[in-house]
Amino acid sequence: VEMDEEEVANDANDDDEGTHNDSQATAAVVKIITAPTSEMKPFTRPTISPIIRARAHHRRAKARLALGDLDGALEDARSAAFMGDRNAVAFYGRLMREGSGAGGKVDG
C-alpha cells in the first residue's frame, strides 16, 4: 500500500497521540502446533540419580533438624534412608531413638 506524504504525516501524528487508524490495522499470525512433529523433541526432565537424591534428602534432614523442625527432619531422613543412603539410615535411626533430643535447637 502506497501512502502519499499527507497520509504519512497523519499516520505519524496518530502514533504520537496513541490512536490507531482502523483502516490500516495489521494482524498477527500465531502458529499453533497441536502435536509434536519430527522436528520437535518433547521436553524431557533430566534424570537425577537416586544416590544423589538420597544424599540431598539427608543433607536437608540435617538442616531441618538444626532449624528445630523435627518432623521435617524425620520425613527427609526416612526418604533418604529408603533410597539407600546408609548414613541416612543411621541418622534416621538416631532421630527415631532420641526424638526431640537428637540435636535440634538448644534453648537458652
Side-chain angles (χ1 to χ4, degrees), residues 27-40:
V29 177
V30 178
K31 182 177 180 182
I32 299 174
I33 301 173
T34 57
T37 63
S38 61
E39 300 168 354
M40 295 176 51

Side-chain angles (χ1 to χ4, degrees), residues 23-102:
S23 64
Q24 295 177 356
T26 59
V29 177
V30 178
K31 182 177 180 182
I32 299 174
I33 301 173
T34 57
T37 63
S38 61
E39 300 168 354
M40 295 176 51
K41 293 182 180 176
F43 176 74
T44 56
R45 182 181 231 181
T47 57
I48 299 173
S49 165
I51 297 166
I52 294 171
R53 191 178 305 269
R55 190 71 187 138
H57 276 284
H58 182 206
R59 283 193 304 267
R60 190 168 73 176
K62 290 170 77 173
R64 282 183 161 186
L65 183 63
L67 293 173
D69 181 11
L70 180 62
D71 293 333
L74 278 168
E75 181 181 326
D76 284 337
R78 182 177 59 237
S79 296
F82 280 106
M83 287 183 201
D85 186 345
R86 63 183 168 88
N87 294 327
V89 172
F91 183 65
Y92 179 62
R94 187 177 65 130
L95 287 177
M96 291 298 291
R97 281 190 309 275
E98 298 178 12
S100 62

